[in-house]
Amino acid sequence: MILDPRQIQPIHDEKGYRSLIPQPQSTDDSFVFIDCDLNRDSGAAAIVLNRPEKRNAINFSVIQELISAIEGFNALPGVSSITITGRGKGFCAGDDIAGMGTDEHPLPDDPVARAGQGYVRLIRSVWTSRKPVIADVHGFAAGAGAMLMLAADIICVDPDTTVSFPFTKLGITAGSLVDHLGIPFHLANLLLYTGSSLGASDLARLGIAGFVGDPDERRRWVTETQQSISRVSPSAVQAIKTARRSSQTRTDSALVREQLLLAAGYGHSDYMEGKRAFLEKRSPNFLEAHSYESD
């Protein structure tokens, strides 16, 4: 569902100010897995992941809805910034391993095409957004959810937030671009090789989180930050963002490498074992998986 800006309809919310809410291109459809809002007075847009029963895990449908919303808000001149957050106990648990294929978005047969429809596509959408993106994170951001957080321009977190990179624990070859998204190289190696995590204090110490606070404090901080962005020159902000992103040209090639890395791992026995173990709610046995491979 690619958003046509002509399908964005004005509404009145309960606070009385007018909002412009991105809608899917088809008038018969509506967003199922996300909610969107826009304060038209300040131009502050919000996207809320709304799969709390799945820990806001993302599948192809969620990815498409997020991209459609980001494209829709980017198409509106009045939007000054976009906040992404999650409903429920945490921000995003990463890929919905049990449900990446749906009737609407089945798994492509070609592994490179399959990887191209996954979270790398979402990261590219956030990374290239013309409007600044703020990640408001609480509870957990794991795997693809952690990558989504890191792709944002500005990050704030709850004091109890845990950001984890469990790819290797699941036999998934991913995460190779985390150091392009703000994690120092050697720390990134430690996190990726061991599947370790970072806490809010780590994110603040590394300069990744711009603010740490409880829900009310974060809400005020995000509001104030979006208002501050709305008061300055939008063309200057977008030009600076474009310049800063273009200076990170390695990230573009890193996104391509990440897609190819994911694709290469899909047929490996470790990936198969990791997915089986996840679905069976047990710890994977990669040594046994390798013994099958050698037989």
Side-chain angles (χ1 to χ4, degrees):
M1 296 181 293
I2 302 301
L3 184 71
D4 182 341
R6 293 171 298 181
Q7 296 294 331
I8 300 174
Q9 301 296 329
I11 67 167
H12 288 275
D13 65 18
E14 69 277 9
K15 294 182 180 179
Y17 55 73
R18 293 191 72 183
S19 299
L20 295 171
I21 309 301
Q23 300 294 329
Q25 192 170 30
S26 170
T27 56
D28 296 329
D29 294 332
S30 61
F31 289 136
V32 176
F33 303 115
I34 66 171
D35 293 327
C36 297
D37 193 19
L38 172 63
N39 182 331
R40 194 178 184 185
D41 295 331
S42 68
I47 301 173
V48 183
L49 290 163
N50 190 23
R51 296 186 83 201
E53 75 286 355
K54 295 290 186 181
R55 292 163 52 90
N56 294 324
I58 58 175
N59 56 25
F60 293 152
S61 297
V62 177
I63 290 169
Q64 186 57 66
E65 289 191 9
L66 281 166
I67 292 173
S68 291
I70 292 168
E71 289 179 350
F73 283 134
N74 270 278
L76 290 173
V79 172
S80 56
S81 60
I82 305 167
T83 295
I84 301 178
T85 190
R87 182 158 287 126
K89 295 182 179 180
F91 178 68
C92 176
D95 281 342
D96 184 354
I97 295 176
M100 280 302 287
T102 64
D103 291 338
E104 185 178 358
H105 297 285
L107 291 173
D109 293 331
D110 180 70
V112 177
R114 175 180 171 185
Q117 288 191 19
Y119 80 85
V120 174
R121 184 167 165 249
L122 174 59
I123 299 308
R124 183 177 285 109
S125 176
V126 175
W127 180 259
T128 59
S129 168
R130 291 187 300 108
K131 310 297 174 72
V133 177
I134 301 171
D136 181 7
V137 181
H138 71 288
F140 48 80
M147 307 294 276
L148 172 61
M149 179 199 79
L150 290 173
D153 298 280
I154 300 169
I155 299 169
C156 69
V157 298
D158 188 89
D160 295 330
T161 296
T162 298
V163 176
S164 59
F165 303 86
F167 299 114
T168 53
K169 292 181 177 180
L170 296 168
I172 298 172
T173 53
S176 64
L177 52 81
V178 295
D179 48 326
H180 296 280
L181 299 177
I183 303 291
F185 177 79
H186 294 93
L187 176 59
N189 290 340
L190 175 64
L191 296 170
L192 293 172
Y193 298 168
T194 64
S196 301
S197 61
L198 297 172
S201 60
D202 300 315
L203 297 171
R205 175 175 52 82
L206 293 167
I208 295 170
F211 183 80
V212 179
D214 65 31
D216 290 336
E217 293 170 334
R218 292 199 325 279
R219 193 174 300 112
R220 286 193 295 270
W221 186 85
V222 168
T223 299
E224 291 169 0
T225 300
Q226 290 195 285
Q227 288 175 344
S228 295
I229 293 173
S230 72
R231 289 192 288 265
V232 300
S233 164
S235 60
V237 169
Q238 291 179 33
I240 292 170
K241 170 166 181 171
T242 299
R244 286 181 54 76
R245 290 308 201 206
S246 63
S247 69
Q248 300 289 331
T249 53
R250 293 184 306 159
T251 301
D252 296 330
S253 58
L255 283 163
V256 174
R257 288 197 302 272
E258 181 84 349
Q259 179 178 340
L260 296 176
L261 182 66
L262 278 164
Y266 287 148
H268 197 279
S269 59
D270 280 358
Y271 176 80
M272 304 297 186
E273 168 62 10
K275 184 170 184 177
R276 280 195 301 266
F278 179 86
L279 296 175
E280 296 170 5
K281 302 184 185 305
R282 60 174 175 80
S283 298
N285 188 337
F286 294 123
L287 290 178
E288 186 173 343
H290 277 266
S291 70
Y292 291 150
E293 192 175 58
S294 62
D295 288 344

